[in-house]
Amino acid sequence: MKKNIGDFERVVIVAGGVVLASLAFWGPKKPWYLAFAIPALEGFIGTCALYSALGINTRSIEEQQ
């Protein structure tokens, strides 16, 4: 798969997704918080399905090389 998420955005998405997904186990303990694991996984991989469908690429020229 072609990566389409920039490095800084990847860090933010992974960190935010992990924190919010952890709320399924700690804090409010609502199972729907596990849905935030999907963006965290996409950030870890570097490819977003929605970005691909919309033709968006947030990687800079330097990151694409």
Short mmCIF file of all heavy atoms in Angstrom, two decimals:
data_model
loop_
_atom_site.label_atom_id
_atom_site.label_comp_id
_atom_site.label_asym_id
_atom_site.label_seq_id
_atom_site.Cartn_x
_atom_site.Cartn_y
_atom_site.Cartn_z
N MET A 1 0.83 -1.18 0.00
CA MET A 1 0.00 0.00 0.00
C MET A 1 0.87 1.24 0.00
O MET A 1 1.90 1.27 0.65
CB MET A 1 -0.87 0.04 1.25
CG MET A 1 -1.98 -0.93 1.27
SD MET A 1 -2.94 -0.59 2.76
CE MET A 1 -4.32 -1.57 2.41
N LYS A 2 0.41 2.25 -0.70
CA LYS A 2 1.14 3.50 -0.75
C LYS A 2 0.80 4.34 0.48
O LYS A 2 -0.36 4.53 0.80
CB LYS A 2 0.74 4.25 -2.02
CG LYS A 2 1.55 5.49 -2.26
CD LYS A 2 1.18 6.12 -3.59
CE LYS A 2 2.01 7.36 -3.80
NZ LYS A 2 1.63 8.04 -5.03
N LYS A 3 1.83 4.81 1.16
CA LYS A 3 1.61 5.63 2.36
C LYS A 3 1.09 7.00 1.95
O LYS A 3 1.58 7.60 1.01
CB LYS A 3 2.91 5.76 3.15
CG LYS A 3 3.34 4.44 3.74
CD LYS A 3 4.54 4.60 4.62
CE LYS A 3 4.90 3.26 5.23
NZ LYS A 3 5.97 3.37 6.18
N ASN A 4 0.08 7.49 2.68
CA ASN A 4 -0.50 8.78 2.37
C ASN A 4 -0.72 9.66 3.60
O ASN A 4 -1.41 10.64 3.54
CB ASN A 4 -1.82 8.60 1.60
CG ASN A 4 -2.85 7.81 2.36
OD1 ASN A 4 -2.65 7.43 3.50
ND2 ASN A 4 -3.97 7.54 1.71
N ILE A 5 -0.11 9.29 4.73
CA ILE A 5 -0.20 10.07 5.96
C ILE A 5 1.19 10.58 6.31
O ILE A 5 2.14 9.80 6.37
CB ILE A 5 -0.77 9.24 7.12
CG1 ILE A 5 -2.15 8.68 6.76
CG2 ILE A 5 -0.87 10.07 8.38
CD1 ILE A 5 -2.71 7.75 7.81
N GLY A 6 1.31 11.88 6.56
CA GLY A 6 2.59 12.48 6.92
C GLY A 6 3.09 11.99 8.28
O GLY A 6 2.31 11.51 9.11
N ASP A 7 4.38 12.12 8.50
CA ASP A 7 5.00 11.61 9.72
C ASP A 7 4.45 12.24 10.99
O ASP A 7 4.14 11.55 11.96
CB ASP A 7 6.52 11.79 9.67
CG ASP A 7 7.17 10.88 8.64
OD1 ASP A 7 6.53 9.87 8.25
OD2 ASP A 7 8.30 11.18 8.22
N PHE A 8 4.32 13.57 11.02
CA PHE A 8 3.80 14.24 12.22
C PHE A 8 2.36 13.81 12.48
O PHE A 8 1.97 13.53 13.62
CB PHE A 8 3.87 15.76 12.07
CG PHE A 8 3.30 16.49 13.25
CD1 PHE A 8 3.99 16.54 14.44
CD2 PHE A 8 2.07 17.11 13.17
CE1 PHE A 8 3.47 17.20 15.55
CE2 PHE A 8 1.53 17.77 14.26
CZ PHE A 8 2.23 17.82 15.45
N GLU A 9 1.56 13.74 11.42
CA GLU A 9 0.16 13.32 11.56
C GLU A 9 0.07 11.88 12.06
O GLU A 9 -0.80 11.55 12.85
CB GLU A 9 -0.55 13.47 10.22
CG GLU A 9 -2.03 13.19 10.28
CD GLU A 9 -2.71 13.39 8.95
OE1 GLU A 9 -2.04 13.70 7.95
OE2 GLU A 9 -3.93 13.24 8.91
N ARG A 10 0.99 11.04 11.62
CA ARG A 10 1.00 9.65 12.07
C ARG A 10 1.22 9.57 13.58
O ARG A 10 0.55 8.81 14.27
CB ARG A 10 2.10 8.86 11.36
CG ARG A 10 1.78 8.57 9.92
CD ARG A 10 2.91 7.84 9.25
NE ARG A 10 3.03 6.50 9.82
CZ ARG A 10 4.00 5.66 9.52
NH1 ARG A 10 4.95 6.02 8.68
NH2 ARG A 10 4.04 4.47 10.05
N VAL A 11 2.17 10.35 14.08
CA VAL A 11 2.47 10.34 15.52
C VAL A 11 1.24 10.79 16.31
O VAL A 11 0.87 10.16 17.31
CB VAL A 11 3.68 11.24 15.83
CG1 VAL A 11 3.85 11.43 17.32
CG2 VAL A 11 4.93 10.67 15.20
N VAL A 12 0.59 11.85 15.86
CA VAL A 12 -0.58 12.37 16.55
C VAL A 12 -1.72 11.36 16.52
O VAL A 12 -2.39 11.12 17.54
CB VAL A 12 -1.02 13.72 15.93
CG1 VAL A 12 -2.35 14.18 16.50
CG2 VAL A 12 0.06 14.77 16.15
N ILE A 13 -1.96 10.74 15.36
CA ILE A 13 -3.05 9.78 15.23
C ILE A 13 -2.81 8.55 16.10
O ILE A 13 -3.72 8.07 16.78
CB ILE A 13 -3.24 9.38 13.76
CG1 ILE A 13 -3.82 10.54 12.97
CG2 ILE A 13 -4.13 8.16 13.62
CD1 ILE A 13 -3.87 10.31 11.48
N VAL A 14 -1.60 8.03 16.08
CA VAL A 14 -1.29 6.84 16.88
C VAL A 14 -1.42 7.15 18.37
O VAL A 14 -2.06 6.40 19.11
CB VAL A 14 0.11 6.28 16.55
CG1 VAL A 14 0.52 5.22 17.54
CG2 VAL A 14 0.13 5.73 15.13
N ALA A 15 -0.84 8.25 18.81
CA ALA A 15 -0.90 8.60 20.23
C ALA A 15 -2.34 8.84 20.68
O ALA A 15 -2.78 8.31 21.72
CB ALA A 15 -0.04 9.83 20.50
N GLY A 16 -3.07 9.62 19.91
CA GLY A 16 -4.47 9.89 20.27
C GLY A 16 -5.33 8.65 20.23
O GLY A 16 -6.17 8.42 21.11
N GLY A 17 -5.15 7.83 19.22
CA GLY A 17 -5.93 6.60 19.11
C GLY A 17 -5.67 5.64 20.24
O GLY A 17 -6.59 5.01 20.76
N VAL A 18 -4.42 5.51 20.61
CA VAL A 18 -4.07 4.60 21.72
C VAL A 18 -4.67 5.10 23.03
O VAL A 18 -5.24 4.32 23.80
CB VAL A 18 -2.54 4.42 21.83
CG1 VAL A 18 -2.15 3.75 23.12
CG2 VAL A 18 -2.01 3.65 20.63
N VAL A 19 -4.56 6.39 23.27
CA VAL A 19 -5.12 6.96 24.51
C VAL A 19 -6.63 6.77 24.55
O VAL A 19 -7.19 6.32 25.56
CB VAL A 19 -4.75 8.45 24.65
CG1 VAL A 19 -5.56 9.12 25.74
CG2 VAL A 19 -3.27 8.60 24.91
N LEU A 20 -7.31 7.09 23.46
CA LEU A 20 -8.76 6.96 23.45
C LEU A 20 -9.22 5.50 23.47
O LEU A 20 -10.22 5.17 24.12
CB LEU A 20 -9.34 7.69 22.23
CG LEU A 20 -9.21 9.21 22.29
CD1 LEU A 20 -9.63 9.84 20.97
CD2 LEU A 20 -10.03 9.77 23.44
N ALA A 21 -8.51 4.62 22.79
CA ALA A 21 -8.86 3.19 22.82
C ALA A 21 -8.64 2.61 24.21
O ALA A 21 -9.36 1.69 24.62
CB ALA A 21 -8.06 2.42 21.78
N SER A 22 -7.68 3.13 24.94
CA SER A 22 -7.43 2.62 26.29
C SER A 22 -8.58 2.93 27.24
O SER A 22 -8.73 2.27 28.27
CB SER A 22 -6.12 3.18 26.85
OG SER A 22 -6.26 4.55 27.16
N LEU A 23 -9.42 3.89 26.88
CA LEU A 23 -10.58 4.21 27.72
C LEU A 23 -11.59 3.06 27.75
O LEU A 23 -12.45 3.03 28.62
CB LEU A 23 -11.25 5.50 27.23
CG LEU A 23 -10.45 6.77 27.42
CD1 LEU A 23 -11.20 7.95 26.82
CD2 LEU A 23 -10.17 7.03 28.88
N ALA A 24 -11.48 2.13 26.81
CA ALA A 24 -12.35 0.96 26.84
C ALA A 24 -12.00 0.06 28.02
O ALA A 24 -12.84 -0.73 28.46
CB ALA A 24 -12.23 0.17 25.54
N PHE A 25 -10.78 0.17 28.53
CA PHE A 25 -10.34 -0.67 29.63
C PHE A 25 -10.19 0.10 30.94
O PHE A 25 -10.37 -0.44 32.01
CB PHE A 25 -9.00 -1.33 29.28
CG PHE A 25 -9.06 -2.10 27.99
CD1 PHE A 25 -8.53 -1.56 26.84
CD2 PHE A 25 -9.68 -3.33 27.94
CE1 PHE A 25 -8.59 -2.26 25.64
CE2 PHE A 25 -9.76 -4.04 26.76
CZ PHE A 25 -9.22 -3.50 25.60
N TRP A 26 -9.82 1.38 30.85
CA TRP A 26 -9.67 2.23 32.02
C TRP A 26 -10.56 3.45 31.84
O TRP A 26 -10.80 3.88 30.73
CB TRP A 26 -8.21 2.68 32.18
CG TRP A 26 -7.29 1.55 32.38
CD1 TRP A 26 -7.08 0.86 33.54
CD2 TRP A 26 -6.46 0.92 31.40
NE1 TRP A 26 -6.18 -0.14 33.34
CE2 TRP A 26 -5.77 -0.12 32.03
CE3 TRP A 26 -6.23 1.15 30.05
CZ2 TRP A 26 -4.88 -0.93 31.36
CZ3 TRP A 26 -5.35 0.34 29.39
CH2 TRP A 26 -4.68 -0.69 30.04
N GLY A 27 -11.00 4.04 32.90
CA GLY A 27 -11.85 5.22 32.79
C GLY A 27 -13.31 4.81 32.64
O GLY A 27 -13.81 4.00 33.40
N PRO A 28 -14.00 5.37 31.63
CA PRO A 28 -15.44 5.09 31.48
C PRO A 28 -15.78 3.63 31.13
O PRO A 28 -16.89 3.19 31.34
CB PRO A 28 -15.87 5.99 30.32
CG PRO A 28 -14.80 6.99 30.17
CD PRO A 28 -13.55 6.39 30.70
N LYS A 29 -14.83 2.89 30.58
CA LYS A 29 -14.98 1.47 30.23
C LYS A 29 -16.17 1.23 29.30
O LYS A 29 -17.00 0.35 29.53
CB LYS A 29 -15.09 0.62 31.49
CG LYS A 29 -13.85 0.65 32.33
CD LYS A 29 -13.93 -0.28 33.49
CE LYS A 29 -12.64 -0.15 34.28
NZ LYS A 29 -12.66 -0.86 35.52
N LYS A 30 -16.25 1.99 28.25
CA LYS A 30 -17.28 1.80 27.23
C LYS A 30 -16.65 1.05 26.05
O LYS A 30 -15.59 1.45 25.55
CB LYS A 30 -17.82 3.14 26.73
CG LYS A 30 -18.36 4.03 27.82
CD LYS A 30 -19.68 3.52 28.30
CE LYS A 30 -20.22 4.50 29.33
NZ LYS A 30 -21.36 4.05 30.01
N PRO A 31 -17.26 -0.01 25.57
CA PRO A 31 -16.65 -0.80 24.50
C PRO A 31 -16.51 -0.05 23.18
O PRO A 31 -15.66 -0.38 22.36
CB PRO A 31 -17.57 -2.01 24.36
CG PRO A 31 -18.82 -1.66 25.05
CD PRO A 31 -18.49 -0.60 26.05
N TRP A 32 -17.31 0.97 22.94
CA TRP A 32 -17.22 1.69 21.67
C TRP A 32 -15.93 2.50 21.55
O TRP A 32 -15.57 2.92 20.46
CB TRP A 32 -18.44 2.57 21.43
CG TRP A 32 -18.65 3.65 22.44
CD1 TRP A 32 -19.36 3.58 23.58
CD2 TRP A 32 -18.14 4.99 22.36
NE1 TRP A 32 -19.32 4.78 24.23
CE2 TRP A 32 -18.58 5.67 23.50
CE3 TRP A 32 -17.37 5.67 21.43
CZ2 TRP A 32 -18.27 6.99 23.75
CZ3 TRP A 32 -17.05 6.99 21.69
CH2 TRP A 32 -17.50 7.63 22.83
N TYR A 33 -15.22 2.68 22.65
CA TYR A 33 -13.92 3.36 22.58
C TYR A 33 -12.90 2.54 21.79
O TYR A 33 -11.92 3.08 21.32
CB TYR A 33 -13.36 3.64 23.98
CG TYR A 33 -13.95 4.86 24.66
CD1 TYR A 33 -14.71 4.75 25.80
CD2 TYR A 33 -13.73 6.13 24.13
CE1 TYR A 33 -15.25 5.86 26.42
CE2 TYR A 33 -14.26 7.25 24.74
CZ TYR A 33 -15.03 7.11 25.88
OH TYR A 33 -15.55 8.21 26.48
N LEU A 34 -13.14 1.25 21.64
CA LEU A 34 -12.23 0.42 20.85
C LEU A 34 -12.23 0.83 19.38
O LEU A 34 -11.30 0.50 18.65
CB LEU A 34 -12.60 -1.06 20.98
CG LEU A 34 -12.27 -1.68 22.32
CD1 LEU A 34 -12.81 -3.10 22.40
CD2 LEU A 34 -10.78 -1.67 22.57
N ALA A 35 -13.24 1.55 18.95
CA ALA A 35 -13.28 2.05 17.56
C ALA A 35 -12.10 2.97 17.27
O ALA A 35 -11.69 3.10 16.12
CB ALA A 35 -14.60 2.76 17.30
N PHE A 36 -11.54 3.59 18.30
CA PHE A 36 -10.39 4.47 18.11
C PHE A 36 -9.11 3.69 17.82
O PHE A 36 -8.09 4.28 17.46
CB PHE A 36 -10.18 5.38 19.32
CG PHE A 36 -11.24 6.44 19.44
CD1 PHE A 36 -12.22 6.35 20.41
CD2 PHE A 36 -11.26 7.52 18.58
CE1 PHE A 36 -13.20 7.31 20.53
CE2 PHE A 36 -12.22 8.49 18.68
CZ PHE A 36 -13.21 8.39 19.66
N ALA A 37 -9.15 2.38 17.95
CA ALA A 37 -7.99 1.56 17.59
C ALA A 37 -7.79 1.54 16.08
O ALA A 37 -6.67 1.35 15.61
CB ALA A 37 -8.16 0.16 18.13
N ILE A 38 -8.86 1.75 15.31
CA ILE A 38 -8.76 1.74 13.85
C ILE A 38 -7.88 2.88 13.34
O ILE A 38 -6.95 2.65 12.58
CB ILE A 38 -10.15 1.74 13.21
CG1 ILE A 38 -10.88 0.44 13.57
CG2 ILE A 38 -10.07 1.91 11.69
CD1 ILE A 38 -12.34 0.43 13.22
N PRO A 39 -8.14 4.15 13.73
CA PRO A 39 -7.24 5.21 13.28
C PRO A 39 -5.81 5.03 13.80
O PRO A 39 -4.85 5.36 13.11
CB PRO A 39 -7.85 6.50 13.86
CG PRO A 39 -9.22 6.16 14.25
CD PRO A 39 -9.29 4.69 14.45
N ALA A 40 -5.67 4.48 15.01
CA ALA A 40 -4.32 4.24 15.54
C ALA A 40 -3.59 3.23 14.67
O ALA A 40 -2.40 3.40 14.37
CB ALA A 40 -4.39 3.75 16.98
N LEU A 41 -4.29 2.21 14.23
CA LEU A 41 -3.68 1.20 13.35
C LEU A 41 -3.34 1.81 12.00
O LEU A 41 -2.27 1.55 11.46
CB LEU A 41 -4.63 0.01 13.18
CG LEU A 41 -4.14 -1.11 12.28
CD1 LEU A 41 -2.88 -1.74 12.88
CD2 LEU A 41 -5.22 -2.14 12.11
N GLU A 42 -4.23 2.63 11.45
CA GLU A 42 -3.95 3.29 10.18
C GLU A 42 -2.74 4.22 10.30
O GLU A 42 -1.92 4.30 9.39
CB GLU A 42 -5.16 4.08 9.69
CG GLU A 42 -6.27 3.20 9.18
CD GLU A 42 -7.47 4.00 8.68
OE1 GLU A 42 -7.62 5.18 9.08
OE2 GLU A 42 -8.25 3.44 7.90
N GLY A 43 -2.63 4.92 11.41
CA GLY A 43 -1.47 5.78 11.63
C GLY A 43 -0.19 4.99 11.74
O GLY A 43 0.85 5.39 11.24
N PHE A 44 -0.25 3.84 12.40
CA PHE A 44 0.92 2.98 12.53
C PHE A 44 1.36 2.46 11.16
O PHE A 44 2.55 2.43 10.85
CB PHE A 44 0.60 1.82 13.47
CG PHE A 44 1.76 0.90 13.70
CD1 PHE A 44 2.82 1.30 14.49
CD2 PHE A 44 1.79 -0.34 13.13
CE1 PHE A 44 3.90 0.45 14.71
CE2 PHE A 44 2.86 -1.20 13.33
CZ PHE A 44 3.91 -0.80 14.13
N ILE A 45 0.40 2.08 10.33
CA ILE A 45 0.70 1.57 8.99
C ILE A 45 1.12 2.71 8.06
O ILE A 45 2.00 2.53 7.22
CB ILE A 45 -0.51 0.82 8.41
CG1 ILE A 45 -0.78 -0.43 9.23
CG2 ILE A 45 -0.31 0.48 6.95
CD1 ILE A 45 -2.09 -1.11 8.89
N GLY A 46 0.49 3.88 8.20
CA GLY A 46 0.82 5.02 7.36
C GLY A 46 -0.10 5.20 6.18
O GLY A 46 0.13 6.05 5.33
N THR A 47 -1.16 4.40 6.11
CA THR A 47 -2.11 4.48 5.01
C THR A 47 -3.52 4.62 5.57
O THR A 47 -3.93 3.83 6.40
CB THR A 47 -2.04 3.21 4.14
OG1 THR A 47 -0.71 3.08 3.66
CG2 THR A 47 -2.98 3.30 2.97
N CYS A 48 -4.25 5.62 5.08
CA CYS A 48 -5.62 5.85 5.50
C CYS A 48 -6.54 5.52 4.32
O CYS A 48 -6.38 6.05 3.22
CB CYS A 48 -5.80 7.29 5.93
SG CYS A 48 -7.50 7.69 6.40
N ALA A 49 -7.51 4.65 4.55
CA ALA A 49 -8.43 4.25 3.49
C ALA A 49 -9.28 5.43 3.02
O ALA A 49 -9.52 5.57 1.81
CB ALA A 49 -9.33 3.13 3.99
N LEU A 50 -9.71 6.28 3.93
CA LEU A 50 -10.51 7.44 3.55
C LEU A 50 -9.69 8.41 2.71
O LEU A 50 -10.18 8.94 1.71
CB LEU A 50 -11.06 8.14 4.80
CG LEU A 50 -11.96 9.34 4.55
CD1 LEU A 50 -13.19 8.92 3.77
CD2 LEU A 50 -12.37 9.97 5.86
N TYR A 51 -8.43 8.64 3.10
CA TYR A 51 -7.56 9.49 2.30
C TYR A 51 -7.37 8.92 0.90
O TYR A 51 -7.37 9.65 -0.08
CB TYR A 51 -6.19 9.63 2.97
CG TYR A 51 -6.11 10.64 4.09
CD1 TYR A 51 -7.24 11.21 4.67
CD2 TYR A 51 -4.88 11.02 4.61
CE1 TYR A 51 -7.15 12.11 5.70
CE2 TYR A 51 -4.77 11.93 5.63
CZ TYR A 51 -5.91 12.46 6.18
OH TYR A 51 -5.81 13.37 7.19
N SER A 52 -7.22 7.61 0.80
CA SER A 52 -7.05 6.98 -0.50
C SER A 52 -8.29 7.17 -1.36
O SER A 52 -8.19 7.46 -2.56
CB SER A 52 -6.76 5.49 -0.34
OG SER A 52 -5.54 5.29 0.31
N ALA A 53 -9.46 7.01 -0.77
CA ALA A 53 -10.71 7.16 -1.52
C ALA A 53 -10.92 8.60 -2.00
O ALA A 53 -11.45 8.82 -3.08
CB ALA A 53 -11.89 6.72 -0.65
N LEU A 54 -10.47 9.55 -1.19
CA LEU A 54 -10.64 10.97 -1.54
C LEU A 54 -9.46 11.55 -2.30
O LEU A 54 -9.50 12.70 -2.73
CB LEU A 54 -10.88 11.80 -0.27
CG LEU A 54 -12.16 11.46 0.50
CD1 LEU A 54 -12.20 12.25 1.80
CD2 LEU A 54 -13.39 11.72 -0.34
N GLY A 55 -8.40 10.78 -2.46
CA GLY A 55 -7.22 11.24 -3.19
C GLY A 55 -6.37 12.23 -2.40
O GLY A 55 -5.69 13.07 -2.98
N ILE A 56 -6.40 12.13 -1.09
CA ILE A 56 -5.64 13.04 -0.23
C ILE A 56 -4.31 12.40 0.12
O ILE A 56 -4.23 11.21 0.41
CB ILE A 56 -6.43 13.36 1.05
CG1 ILE A 56 -7.74 14.04 0.71
CG2 ILE A 56 -5.60 14.21 2.01
CD1 ILE A 56 -8.67 14.21 1.90
N ASN A 57 -3.26 13.20 0.11
CA ASN A 57 -1.93 12.74 0.50
C ASN A 57 -1.28 13.84 1.33
O ASN A 57 -1.02 14.93 0.82
CB ASN A 57 -1.08 12.42 -0.72
CG ASN A 57 0.24 11.79 -0.37
OD1 ASN A 57 0.60 11.70 0.80
ND2 ASN A 57 0.97 11.36 -1.38
N THR A 58 -1.03 13.59 2.62
CA THR A 58 -0.46 14.61 3.49
C THR A 58 1.04 14.44 3.68
O THR A 58 1.64 15.15 4.48
CB THR A 58 -1.15 14.60 4.87
OG1 THR A 58 -0.98 13.33 5.48
CG2 THR A 58 -2.62 14.92 4.74
N ARG A 59 1.65 13.49 2.97
CA ARG A 59 3.10 13.31 3.06
C ARG A 59 3.78 14.42 2.26
O ARG A 59 3.35 14.77 1.17
CB ARG A 59 3.51 11.95 2.52
CG ARG A 59 3.03 10.83 3.41
CD ARG A 59 3.41 9.47 2.88
NE ARG A 59 4.83 9.27 2.77
CZ ARG A 59 5.62 8.83 3.74
NH1 ARG A 59 5.10 8.55 4.91
NH2 ARG A 59 6.89 8.65 3.57
N SER A 60 4.87 14.94 2.80
CA SER A 60 5.63 15.98 2.09
C SER A 60 6.48 15.34 1.00
O SER A 60 6.64 14.12 0.94
CB SER A 60 6.52 16.75 3.07
OG SER A 60 7.53 15.90 3.57
N ILE A 61 7.05 16.14 0.17
CA ILE A 61 7.89 15.65 -0.93
C ILE A 61 9.08 14.88 -0.38
O ILE A 61 9.45 13.83 -0.89
CB ILE A 61 8.39 16.83 -1.81
CG1 ILE A 61 7.21 17.58 -2.41
CG2 ILE A 61 9.34 16.35 -2.88
CD1 ILE A 61 6.37 16.79 -3.39
N GLU A 62 9.69 15.37 0.71
CA GLU A 62 10.84 14.70 1.30
C GLU A 62 10.46 13.33 1.86
O GLU A 62 11.24 12.39 1.80
CB GLU A 62 11.47 15.55 2.42
CG GLU A 62 12.08 16.85 1.95
CD GLU A 62 11.03 17.97 1.86
OE1 GLU A 62 9.99 17.90 2.54
OE2 GLU A 62 11.26 18.89 1.08
N GLU A 63 9.26 13.22 2.44
CA GLU A 63 8.83 11.96 3.02
C GLU A 63 8.50 10.92 1.96
O GLU A 63 8.57 9.73 2.22
CB GLU A 63 7.59 12.18 3.90
CG GLU A 63 7.85 12.99 5.13
CD GLU A 63 6.58 13.34 5.89
OE1 GLU A 63 5.49 13.25 5.32
OE2 GLU A 63 6.71 13.74 7.05
N GLN A 64 8.15 11.35 0.78
CA GLN A 64 7.76 10.42 -0.28
C GLN A 64 8.96 9.76 -0.94
O GLN A 64 8.81 8.77 -1.65
CB GLN A 64 6.92 11.14 -1.33
CG GLN A 64 5.56 11.56 -0.80
CD GLN A 64 4.74 12.30 -1.81
OE1 GLN A 64 5.04 12.31 -3.00
NE2 GLN A 64 3.69 12.94 -1.36
N GLN A 65 10.15 10.27 -0.73
CA GLN A 65 11.34 9.71 -1.39
C GLN A 65 11.94 8.58 -0.60
O GLN A 65 11.78 8.35 0.51
CB GLN A 65 12.38 10.79 -1.60
CG GLN A 65 11.87 11.82 -2.57
CD GLN A 65 12.85 12.98 -2.72
OE1 GLN A 65 13.86 13.06 -2.04
NE2 GLN A 65 12.55 13.86 -3.63
#
